[in-house]
Amino acid sequence: MQATPQPVHEAAAGHAEAINALGSRAFGVSWSLAFPRPGNLHSTITQSPRNGWAFTVTLDDNNQVTGFAVIKPHMGEGHVMHESVWCELAFVAVADTHRGHGLGTYLVADARRRALAAGRLGMMATIQTKSVDWYSRLGWRIGDHSHALVIPDVRTRRYGPMVWIHQSRMTHPRWAWTRLDSTRPVTAWTSRGGHVAQRDLLAELAAQEAWT
């Protein structure tokens, strides 16, 4: 049954403990790699107006966190930050007691709106296999688990105009990506992965129809 969507708020430092608890339960190792200490999460939330990250939460009537989403800037080759029309939906989670009411869908829709307002045109995510059907229903494109995602809109020293996004972590082995504005296309390809010469990468990409 669909419940009335809860308002989505920008997260405050005071929400860090609850976000950390929910993130740890939902994502395990992936969460601990992103935020190895509680202080890392607290400082990232505090600095989010300046660092390009966005943390949002939904709250119940007692102001307890029921769900959250994390958007982060696109990270290119060697995890170098670039100004990009792409961003990453790094995490989205809903408390067990509030699942089944469309809250996750609402958090993703809000993340899309915020990213578009910030000038992003495409959003990517690494997702768990169990989430493939859900992201597909939301209209996201799903990549093959053995492939890497390649996007062409920022410049790196290694791949010229291409950005090579490595194969996703074992805990989140699938790529998902989506366009944020139907009138302003962005382009992406998938690749077999691994470090290849740029001419081989370009030949592989030329052999397939790019997603736009």
Side-chain angles (χ1 to χ4, degrees):
M1 180 178 66
Q2 288 289 110
T4 302
Q6 299 173 353
V8 179
H9 308 272
E10 291 187 8
H15 297 130
E17 183 176 353
I19 292 173
N20 188 58
L22 179 53
S24 296
R25 288 195 299 271
F27 302 109
V29 173
S30 294
W31 183 262
S32 63
L33 288 173
F35 304 105
R37 294 182 298 276
N40 298 128
L41 176 62
H42 185 281
S43 62
T44 306
I45 293 175
T46 302
Q47 298 170 17
S48 59
R50 299 184 298 277
N51 61 20
W53 290 60
F55 291 78
T56 60
V57 293
T58 51
L59 307 171
D60 64 14
D61 293 338
N62 296 314
N63 287 324
Q64 299 300 303
V65 173
T66 57
F68 72 88
V70 180
I71 309 168
K72 72 175 187 178
H74 168 64
M75 305 295 282
E77 175 70 22
H79 297 284
V80 177
M81 188 179 298
H82 301 272
E83 284 298 320
S84 172
V85 297
W86 285 85
C87 63
E88 181 178 352
L89 181 61
F91 299 100
V92 57
V94 175
D96 291 343
T97 52
H98 288 76
R99 289 183 178 175
H101 300 294
L103 189 54
T105 300
Y106 192 61
L107 280 162
V108 172
D110 178 81
R112 289 171 56 95
R113 287 193 294 269
R114 291 174 186 267
L116 183 59
R120 313 304 183 193
L121 300 180
M123 179 176 281
M124 67 185 78
T126 56
I127 64 174
Q128 297 169 316
T129 301
K130 65 182 181 182
S131 300
V132 166
D133 289 344
W134 184 64
Y135 275 91
S136 294
R137 289 196 300 271
L138 296 181
W140 289 55
R141 186 177 176 93
I142 309 298
D144 186 277
H145 73 280
S146 64
H147 286 187
L149 180 65
V150 180
I151 62 175
D153 64 339
V154 298
R155 180 168 295 277
T156 68
R157 288 175 297 179
R158 189 179 185 94
Y159 291 108
M162 298 292 176
V163 168
W164 182 271
I165 308 299
H166 294 291
Q167 185 174 328
S168 51
R169 297 180 295 270
M170 292 301 296
T171 55
H172 289 68
R174 302 294 292 273
W175 283 109
W177 64 99
T178 185
R179 178 192 302 163
L180 299 177
D181 184 345
S182 61
T183 67
R184 301 173 66 188
V186 287
T187 305
W189 296 265
T190 59
S191 174
R192 288 188 300 271
H195 286 283
V196 298
Q198 182 166 343
R199 65 178 182 276
D200 297 329
L201 172 63
L202 296 178
E204 182 182 353
L205 302 186
Q208 65 178 290
E209 182 179 353
W211 173 77
T212 58

